[in-house]
Amino acid sequence: HPQPQYQPQNQPQQQYQPQNQQQPQYQPQFQPQQQAAEGMAAMSLGGGGGGGGGGAQAALRNPPGRWKLFVSHVQAEAKSEALRLYYELGGKPAVWLDVMMGDPGEEAMMEGVEGSEVFLLILSESYFDRPFCVKELRRAQACGKRVVLAHLSSAKSKLSALFDKARRLDLGDIGKEASVELLFHDPDHAEVAIKKVKRACGLA
């Protein structure tokens, strides 16, 4: 009868298995912490941007989501002027400028337009030929944003034709508003232009 006495020694392994089952008990302790951290991050980014429900707010693309003004421009023609205005008008978190955003995609642009008080349009020769620029302006108009016009000196002689093109695109008579000429190559003119833009945007 030695074997019946030896089998009970194999049974402690069955008593040891519950100790190995403690790992599944550790996962629930970690997962709520991870979910809570993700929830706090989503809450800290919520509350901004335009339409959509709570899910859209939680997925806010560029915090803080509320901006004093949105700068719309053609990068190939007006990038340096846009950057100058970005810094002169307060930079982040006051100004939305695509090249300074973490997410410059189309949906982020629309979110920026909706979350801004003023839409600053830097007019250059091909502005109304650029689909994204036209989309930004349409969204600003649909949201009832105040549109402030500025233009490059290279576009000064073409303003009338540009405003005609805007009317043909059903963008309204945007030329009825005064446009600030951005003469940034001359320090004195640059200072005057920046003051005019600030005043038009309600920053002066």
Side-chain angles (χ1 to χ4, degrees), residues 59-81:
L60 188 66
R61 288 169 172 79
N62 292 300
R66 296 292 179 184
W67 314 87
K68 182 63 181 178
L69 60 114
F70 180 99
V71 180
S72 179
H73 72 296
V74 178
Q75 285 190 27
E77 297 171 343
K79 183 177 179 179
S80 62
E81 288 83 1

Side-chain angles (χ1 to χ4, degrees), residues 8-203:
Q9 294 178 3
N10 292 334
Q11 291 177 358
Q13 286 186 347
Q14 297 177 352
Q15 296 175 357
Y16 185 72
Q17 286 178 356
Q19 296 179 1
N20 292 335
Q21 293 175 357
Q22 290 180 358
Q23 272 190 335
Q25 296 176 0
Y26 183 73
Q27 289 177 354
Q29 294 176 3
F30 176 76
Q31 289 175 352
Q33 290 177 353
Q34 185 177 12
Q35 292 172 356
E38 292 172 355
M40 290 296 292
M43 288 174 61
S44 68
L45 297 180
Q57 292 181 353
L60 188 66
R61 288 169 172 79
N62 292 300
R66 296 292 179 184
W67 314 87
K68 182 63 181 178
L69 60 114
F70 180 99
V71 180
S72 179
H73 72 296
V74 178
Q75 285 190 27
E77 297 171 343
K79 183 177 179 179
S80 62
E81 288 83 1
L83 281 170
R84 175 78 180 271
L85 287 173
Y86 172 84
Y87 290 111
E88 293 285 355
L89 301 178
K92 196 173 181 180
V95 184
W96 199 104
L97 179 63
D98 54 2
V99 296
M100 303 302 291
M101 295 296 112
D103 182 353
E106 181 177 356
E107 291 184 6
M109 289 179 183
M110 297 301 105
E111 177 186 87
V113 172
E114 294 169 0
S116 298
E117 297 176 25
V118 178
F119 185 87
L120 175 58
L121 191 164
I122 301 179
L123 196 55
S124 58
E125 296 180 41
S126 68
Y127 183 90
F128 294 114
D129 297 323
R130 303 301 179 103
F132 285 126
C133 292
V134 173
K135 285 181 180 180
E136 290 168 358
L137 179 55
R138 288 194 194 280
R139 181 61 63 90
Q141 292 174 333
C143 294
K145 304 298 181 180
R146 181 157 60 93
V147 177
V148 172
L149 286 179
H151 63 272
L152 303 185
S153 55
S154 60
K156 183 177 182 180
S157 62
K158 304 175 180 65
L159 288 180
S160 179
L162 288 169
F163 294 148
D164 286 342
K165 181 175 285 189
R167 283 189 287 269
R168 291 196 300 272
L169 292 171
D170 294 325
L171 294 170
D173 189 13
I174 65 171
K176 66 182 180 181
E177 303 294 338
S179 181
V180 179
E181 185 175 1
L182 302 178
L183 288 170
F184 285 168
H185 61 274
D186 180 272
D188 293 333
H189 286 94
E191 184 178 355
V192 172
I194 290 168
K195 286 182 179 179
K196 287 182 178 180
V197 172
K198 283 183 176 181
R199 188 159 51 247
C201 292
L203 298 176

